[in-house]
Amino acid sequence: GLPVVNTRVDTVVPEVARDGLEALTVPPHDAPALAAAIGRLLGDAGLRARLGSAGRRRVELNYRRDDFLDGVAREACAGARTA
């Protein structure tokens, strides 16, 4: 698996790739935080390997592709109805 840098937004992504466990999570619209997270990954091969392996393991154990896509579609439709 590959390491992930994600943003703290109201989607399922931060729940799938959790900060410090499978990903590095930064605030939205915070370019310096994004650059720092990418820099951490670039400078730490062990962190890249740990986050990537943990992310792959989490997805393989907890998520099926079709279930995930169905959930994303449900969230998108719910958001479209409230917009």
Side-chain angles (χ1 to χ4, degrees), residues 37-82:
I38 292 170
R40 278 186 65 196
L41 290 174
L42 289 173
D44 189 338
L47 179 62
R48 289 193 308 269
R50 183 175 60 77
L51 292 178
S53 293
R56 176 177 279 283
R57 197 167 37 255
R58 179 166 168 74
V59 169
E60 288 173 346
L61 292 174
N62 297 297
Y63 298 94
R64 287 187 5 173
R65 180 181 177 271
D66 292 341
D67 293 341
F68 179 75
L69 293 176
D70 288 346
V72 169
R74 277 193 304 277
E75 290 288 326
C77 288
R81 283 193 293 270
T82 61

Side-chain angles (χ1 to χ4, degrees), residues 7-9 26-31:
T7 55
R8 197 173 298 117
V9 294
V26 300
H29 311 292
D30 189 339

